[in-house]
Amino acid sequence: MSGESSPGPGVTSFLRDRRFAWLLDPKLLSVALGSIAVVVLGGLAQVSFGSYSMTLSQAWAAVFDPAVLLNRRAWSAFLLGGDLPEMSHESLIVWNIRLPRVFVAILVGMNLAVSGAIFQAVTRNELASPFILGVSSGAGLSILLTLVVFSGLSTFLPLIASVGGAAAFLIVYAIAWKGGTSPVRLVLAGVIVGTVFGSLQTALFFFAEDIGVVQSAIAWTTGSLTGTDWQQVRLALPWTLVAVSLAVAGSRQCNVLLLGEQTARSLGMSIERVRFALSGVAVLAAAASIAVAGIVGFVGLIVPHVVRNLVGSDYRKLMVGCLFVGPALMVGADVGARLGMGVLVGTETQIPVGIVTGLVGGPYFLYLMRKQQHMGEI
């Protein structure tokens, strides 16, 4: 018929390309849709409950308030900083206080998940985490040094945490280098650096005289989203976009690394360069999360493993799956951290989200250990 036309270049043509057919994998689509549902429900719970009570309909109306959602000035203030436009009291609470916490949880979940997936490929160990190469210990030590010794620099705490994590990674790589590196040496070096830096962190607590400093340090070292706002979103968003883009682009290299060093070399891969570059991307992603939420454990360990069991070991699918499951776990855990104490004991006290992820991650890996005979090497 004359009114019909063949589809031009666009989404349909893109998905028909055999190189991207894996995006239509039913398992991957199910994982994505299920994770989005968890994020939406968790986000709705976050914006609906608090010291200023709202009904679900009021919270939903505030989230989709056209005066905010379609207001360029509002988005400019959120993402670039500046004065907020006029809005209702409910919309102000939802958009300026509660939703930023959800957005930060999403960004942190993405970063930790892809960071963990990369480290597991680099070390060829499914029990590796974003902090296996000493990132968390270096960031934690730099945070405590700043709070206890150089308190005047506390304004730059996120930047200092990122620098500390990157410096620890370089130390680990230097220790592991012996005419090249290997997954085993990287893991052992990470354990050594993590143990030494962890001991130094514990020692620093004895030099802190202000209880407020101790509480702040504990919040950073256990991971917390309490008090996050649009400033944290603005800090994490650019680095998240860079890290996630590089991680997805590097999924093919991760697949090749899993074939073994001899096979990778026979395919023309420069093992050390690729391993170092991918580790740098993982450090960048982990540092972006540490800068805004502190050290949140187990997310980077759990999520890649869950996604691998659901969609398989192909890192193209694994990376995309992590971008959905990571935020779902973080948003769900933060709901428990923020609202769980109120439900259980009737108090508004919030606990660090890192405690919730630890309570979830420990039993999960105990279950895996009992279920699987062989765990460790991918």
Side-chain angles (χ1 to χ4, degrees):
M1 296 176 61
S2 60
E4 295 179 349
S5 59
S6 59
V11 176
T12 303
S13 301
F14 172 80
L15 292 177
R16 285 178 178 174
D17 191 327
R18 292 180 61 185
R19 294 175 298 173
F20 303 101
W22 56 270
L23 285 171
L24 295 178
D25 181 1
K27 293 182 179 179
L28 181 59
L29 292 176
S30 298
V31 167
L33 293 175
S35 299
I36 291 173
V38 171
V39 170
V40 171
L41 293 175
L44 183 59
Q46 288 282 52
V47 301
S48 301
F49 300 99
S51 56
Y52 183 86
S53 61
M54 299 183 195
T55 64
L56 291 178
S57 59
Q58 286 178 318
W60 195 257
V63 170
F64 291 98
D65 184 359
V68 180
L69 198 60
L70 304 178
N71 192 325
R72 291 184 179 180
R73 182 183 169 192
W75 283 105
S76 176
F78 294 150
L79 299 178
L80 302 177
D83 296 330
L84 292 171
E86 292 286 338
M87 61 181 72
S88 66
H89 191 57
E90 288 79 8
S91 295
L92 182 63
I93 291 175
V94 166
W95 278 95
N96 202 41
I97 298 176
R98 296 179 181 175
L99 268 182
R101 180 165 179 160
V102 177
F103 293 147
V104 171
I106 291 172
L107 296 176
V108 170
M110 284 184 177
N111 282 314
L112 292 178
V114 300
S115 181
I118 291 174
F119 278 141
Q120 289 176 13
V122 168
T123 61
R124 295 182 61 195
N125 190 325
E126 64 181 356
L127 301 182
S129 73
F131 309 122
I132 193 64
L133 298 186
V135 177
S136 67
S137 57
L141 181 59
S142 64
I143 289 167
L144 286 176
L145 278 172
T146 303
L147 293 175
V148 176
V149 182
F150 306 106
S151 57
L153 299 176
S154 57
T155 305
F156 305 99
L157 207 57
L159 177 61
I160 292 171
S162 302
V163 172
F169 160 69
L170 293 176
I171 293 173
V172 168
Y173 210 89
I175 293 174
W177 183 268
K178 187 178 181 181
T181 62
S182 69
V184 174
R185 287 205 298 271
L186 284 171
V187 171
L188 291 177
V191 172
I192 293 170
V193 171
T195 301
V196 173
F197 281 15
S199 298
L200 292 174
Q201 290 179 38
T202 304
L204 281 174
F205 278 107
F206 291 95
F207 294 94
E209 300 178 355
D210 187 350
I211 188 64
V213 170
V214 174
Q215 291 176 339
S216 179
I218 291 174
W220 267 95
T221 55
T222 55
S224 176
L225 296 178
T226 303
T228 53
D229 54 23
W230 284 105
Q231 182 179 355
Q232 280 71 42
V233 176
R234 291 192 291 268
L235 177 64
L237 183 58
W239 303 111
T240 301
L241 293 176
V242 173
V244 166
S245 299
L246 293 175
V248 173
S251 58
R252 177 182 175 276
Q253 282 71 26
C254 289
N255 279 332
V256 175
L257 282 177
L258 294 181
L259 297 175
E261 293 191 7
Q262 291 185 350
T263 303
R265 285 196 177 93
S266 68
L267 294 174
M269 174 179 284
S270 177
I271 299 293
E272 291 306 324
R273 289 183 180 180
V274 171
R275 184 177 285 155
F276 188 85
L278 288 173
S279 298
V281 174
V283 169
L284 176 63
S289 85
I290 293 171
V292 296
I295 301 170
V296 181
F298 272 107
V299 175
L301 189 62
I302 297 173
V303 174
H305 205 100
V306 170
V307 177
R308 189 178 291 111
N309 287 337
L310 293 174
V311 304
S313 298
D314 185 344
Y315 257 73
R316 296 175 303 174
K317 300 177 185 178
L318 184 64
M319 286 295 187
V320 174
C322 285
L323 297 181
F324 291 94
V325 178
L329 177 60
M330 273 301 300
V331 171
D334 194 41
V335 170
R338 179 169 175 257
L339 305 176
M341 292 294 288
V343 174
L344 293 176
V345 297
T347 177
E348 294 184 1
T349 302
Q350 300 182 31
I351 61 176
V353 69
I355 293 178
V356 177
T357 58
L359 292 174
V360 172
Y364 176 77
F365 268 88
L366 178 61
Y367 162 76
L368 288 178
M369 184 181 69
R370 301 289 295 179
K371 182 180 179 181
Q372 300 183 16
Q373 293 183 352
H374 303 286
M375 285 191 67
E377 186 174 351
I378 298 178

